[in-house]
């Protein structure tokens, strides 16, 4: 699974999110990961951050009638690798449904920090900056 490009790990993470595969999402995460998102409680920390965040996404989605989440990443605006650390800032678009009505969020950003370990790149932190809903 190892690769020399951290963007591959980020892409795999997003693909797993789009499939609803929390186990694969967790496997792309570092042991002491951090997630910062607009949804309360806004910060998830530690070895179970990816699973805890995804669980909360599903609970929040059920509360608001949201489903069918899908994220599409653009070309990174920042793709910096320094030794075993990387930083990527990537334009993103999210689509989902609210009570069956399609919604598109454009102008979002997915900002990710990664660390390279023996198994490959792992996400140490990510932040989602919301765009505009249409």
């Amino acid at each position: 699974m190892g690769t020399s490009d951290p963007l591959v790990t980020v892409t795999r993470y997003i693909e797993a999110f789009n499939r609803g595969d929390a186990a694969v999402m967790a496997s792309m995460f570092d042991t002491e990961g951090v997630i910062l998102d607009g949804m309360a409680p806004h910060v998830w920390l530690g070895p179970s951050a990816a699973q805890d965040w995804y669980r909360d996404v599903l609970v929040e989605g059920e509360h608001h009638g949201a489903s069918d989440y899908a994220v599409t990443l653009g070309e990174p605006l920042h793709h910096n690798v320094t030794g075993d650390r990387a930083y990527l800032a990537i334009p993103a678009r999210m689509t989902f449904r609210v009570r069956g009505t399609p919604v598109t969020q454009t102008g979002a950003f997915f900002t990710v920090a990664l660390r390279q370990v023996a198994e490959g790149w792992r996400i140490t932190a990510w932040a989602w900056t919301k765009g505009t809903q249409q």
Side-chain angles (χ1 to χ4, degrees):
M1 181 183 312
T3 178
S4 62
D5 188 350
L7 182 57
V8 172
T9 297
V10 174
T11 300
R12 287 179 181 160
Y13 182 86
I14 293 298
E15 289 170 350
F17 170 77
N18 290 344
R19 290 190 312 271
D21 192 337
V24 171
M25 290 168 55
S27 75
M28 300 287 102
F29 234 73
D30 203 358
T31 55
E32 294 301 319
V34 177
I35 294 175
L36 174 64
D37 196 5
M39 171 184 72
H42 307 293
V43 177
W44 293 261
L45 304 166
S48 64
Q51 300 99 316
D52 295 345
W53 171 82
Y54 190 66
R55 177 203 61 225
D56 291 348
V57 165
L58 296 179
V59 169
E60 182 85 357
E62 186 175 322
H63 177 73
H64 292 288
S67 63
D68 302 329
Y69 303 101
V71 171
T72 304
L73 298 176
E75 290 297 316
L77 296 180
H78 297 281
H79 187 276
N80 303 333
V81 178
T82 305
D84 68 346
R85 301 295 173 150
Y87 172 85
L88 289 84
I90 308 167
R93 180 179 69 122
M94 179 185 285
T95 59
F96 54 97
R97 294 185 174 276
V98 176
R99 295 181 189 16
T101 302
V103 176
T104 300
Q105 185 185 105
T106 59
F109 278 89
F110 191 54
T111 303
V112 187
L114 302 98
R115 176 174 74 107
Q116 191 171 37
V117 297
E119 300 79 22
W121 289 97
R122 294 294 177 263
I123 296 169
T124 57
W126 68 250
W128 180 264
T129 305
K130 290 184 179 182
T132 304
Q133 281 190 195
Q134 302 168 354

